[in-house]
Amino acid sequence: MSSTSEQRPRPGGETVRTLTAGGRTLRVSERRGDGSRPPLVLMNGIGASLEVLQPFVDAVDPRRTVVRFDVPGVGGSPPPVVPYVLATLTPVVSAVLRRLGHDGQVDVLGLSWGGGLAQHFAVQHRRRCRRLVLAATGTGSLMVPASPRVLSHMLTPRRHRDPEYASRIAGTIYGGSVRTDPARAARALHAETRLGPRRGYYYQLAASTGWSSLPFLSLIRQPTLVLSGDDDPIIPTVNARILTRGIPRARLHLYPGGHLALVTEAEQLAPVVDAFLDEPAEG
């Protein structure tokens, strides 16, 4: 079953709509490029609506089609009737792409929690995924964890709902440039963002509980770019090195910055991603 809600244009040639496909309903944004490159699908971090990624979308080559979405229960996507896991969400993403007319290969970028979903998509839909970018992410439950102090802040959606609280803890959990400008994190998380019900955050948290890509990293055959900040309290850099060693065709780009750099330093990182995606196919 599939359906489409009213389309709503956004500045920059983007269209936001609600699509039902694969038994789930997602709020989806699409910025149409010129068709010269495969679409880029963005998979977001936990609790964040698609608006959070706007600085990165704005900085990516405008010739590239960009698709992003709110996971069930987050942002403008209604909460799921039953919980989901990564293995049941990736077919939904694939079905949404088909609804948008993207039947061929796509490039996939996963940020933080979305990096787990992106890894799963690359294996579960390996013929559809051409290239993979993993930003500020790790291998799931089997990874070098953040400190208990950082993890305690990740257990609730409060930082997405309370700008003052987000500013207060930003340096501790996000690192990088927000250590000296904590309000920058609040702006990144709250600028035009949409909040779903609290249970949407907990559904998303539960979806990856117990999940790990470590046993199947060798099955990720796509050319892969691993982006990691040298000051990321949530995902220590060693996890990026584990990904790079485990994925056969992966390379590591270590940048000076923290967990939110793909958003707060989008103008520096978007060209790195564009250059990787535009490389000629390997012979």
Side-chain angles (χ1 to χ4, degrees):
M1 178 178 130
S2 61
S3 63
T4 307
S5 78
E6 179 182 356
Q7 300 184 12
R8 183 168 61 86
R10 286 174 58 94
E14 296 176 47
T15 301
V16 178
R17 71 194 86 184
T18 300
L19 297 175
T20 299
R24 303 279 185 183
T25 300
L26 301 182
R27 176 172 167 259
V28 180
S29 172
E30 180 185 35
R31 185 195 74 182
R32 284 278 180 177
D34 63 7
S36 64
R37 291 155 173 76
L40 174 61
V41 182
L42 304 182
M43 300 181 176
N44 212 344
I46 189 166
S49 71
L50 58 85
E51 284 83 2
V52 169
L53 293 170
Q54 192 64 49
F56 180 76
V57 174
D58 291 341
V60 165
D61 190 330
R63 294 172 293 181
R64 196 181 308 282
T65 293
V66 180
V67 177
R68 51 192 161 137
F69 56 91
D70 291 336
V71 302
V74 171
S77 292
V81 177
V82 294
Y84 61 93
V85 294
L86 300 188
T88 59
L89 186 55
T90 54
V92 174
V93 176
S94 182
V96 164
L97 290 170
R98 286 194 298 271
R99 293 291 319 282
L100 293 172
H102 304 308
D103 297 318
Q105 287 191 311
V106 298
D107 296 323
V108 176
L109 183 153
L111 171 63
S112 194
W113 182 94
L117 184 64
Q119 291 172 69
H120 210 95
F121 187 93
V123 172
Q124 200 169 358
H125 302 275
R126 61 186 181 277
R127 293 181 180 176
R128 297 217 65 196
C129 181
R130 187 188 71 111
R131 285 179 177 254
L132 181 65
V133 180
L134 302 175
T137 193
T139 56
S141 61
L142 299 177
M143 62 176 278
V144 178
S147 72
R149 184 183 180 194
V150 171
L151 289 174
S152 68
H153 292 300
M154 303 298 293
L155 294 176
T156 77
R158 185 179 174 188
R159 68 192 184 282
H160 291 286
R161 311 182 79 89
D162 183 344
E164 183 179 339
Y165 175 75
S167 294
R168 191 162 67 247
I169 67 167
T172 299
I173 68 172
Y174 296 125
S177 60
V178 300
R179 289 194 187 277
T180 55
D181 184 7
R184 194 172 191 176
R187 291 193 300 269
L189 294 176
H190 296 276
E192 297 184 15
T193 194
R194 290 185 56 165
L195 292 175
R198 290 178 184 274
R199 69 180 184 275
Y201 184 94
Y202 297 115
Y203 275 133
Q204 192 176 5
L205 190 65
S208 58
T209 300
W211 175 90
S212 176
S213 62
L214 198 59
F216 65 77
L217 286 180
S218 63
L219 299 180
I220 299 176
R221 299 293 182 174
Q222 295 86 349
T224 301
L225 176 65
V226 180
L227 297 173
S228 177
D230 62 3
D231 181 24
D232 185 343
I234 296 176
I235 308 289
T237 305
V238 63
N239 292 289
R241 301 192 186 279
I242 291 170
L243 284 172
T244 306
R245 289 194 202 104
I247 299 173
R249 300 166 70 188
R251 77 181 73 155
L252 174 63
H253 177 83
L254 188 64
Y255 57 82
H259 192 72
L260 293 179
L262 196 73
V263 176
T264 56
E265 280 81 48
E267 291 185 358
Q268 286 74 50
L269 289 179
V272 175
V273 173
D274 276 324
F276 168 71
L277 297 180
D278 287 342
E279 287 178 359
E282 299 174 7

